[in-house]
Amino acid sequence: MADLRIGSIVKAHYKSGIYIGELVEDRNRFYLVKILAVEKHPMQGDLHNPGKTEGVFFHQRKALSYMEKANIQKEAVHPYEGSSIPDYKESLIESIEQLKAKLTRRETEFNQQAYKQLEDLEHQYFQK
C-alpha cells in the first residue's frame, strides 16, 4: 500500500464516483477523506442491477459535497497524481457533462432514465 499520511491529497473511489480529497484520519480499515473535487460523477440507477430499469429501485445518486467527509475503504484510496486540485464546482460540472456524454452514446431505456436523473440533479446542484 502507498505511503499515505494525514494531510495527503488522494484519489478515492466511493460507491460509483471518484473523488479528489484530503486524508483526514486513519480509521483502521477505512480512511476519513475530506472531498475537494469530483473526478467521476456517481452512476445513476441500481448498482446491483446495472443497466436494468424493470423491477428495480432506480436510485438517484448525488456526488459527495465540497468538504464533506466520507469513510472510504483503504483499498479504494490512492495518492493523487495530478499537479493541482481542480475547483470543486468546475469539477462537478465537468463530471456531469462526461457522464451525460457517455449516456447519450447508446439509446437505451436505462441510459435515458439515468440521463433524466442526472438532469434533475443538475437542477438541484445549481438552483442557487
Side-chain angles (χ1 to χ4, degrees), residues 59-71:
H59 298 269
Q60 182 180 68
R61 290 194 171 69
K62 286 183 92 165
L64 295 174
S65 302
Y66 181 64
M67 301 296 245
E68 182 174 349
K69 293 181 182 121
N71 279 310

Side-chain angles (χ1 to χ4, degrees), residues 100-101 103-104 110-120:
K100 284 167 87 176
L103 292 170
T104 56
F110 177 86
N111 285 359
Q112 289 172 338
Q113 201 165 340
Y115 192 93
K116 276 189 217 150
Q117 294 286 352
L118 210 50
E119 282 189 318
D120 183 51

Side-chain angles (χ1 to χ4, degrees), residues 90-107:
E90 288 175 18
S91 71
L92 177 61
I93 291 168
E94 190 175 317
S95 71
I96 290 170
E97 292 306 316
Q98 287 173 353
L99 183 51
K100 284 167 87 176
K102 179 181 176 187
L103 292 170
T104 56
R105 283 189 209 130
R106 284 187 40 227
E107 194 169 317

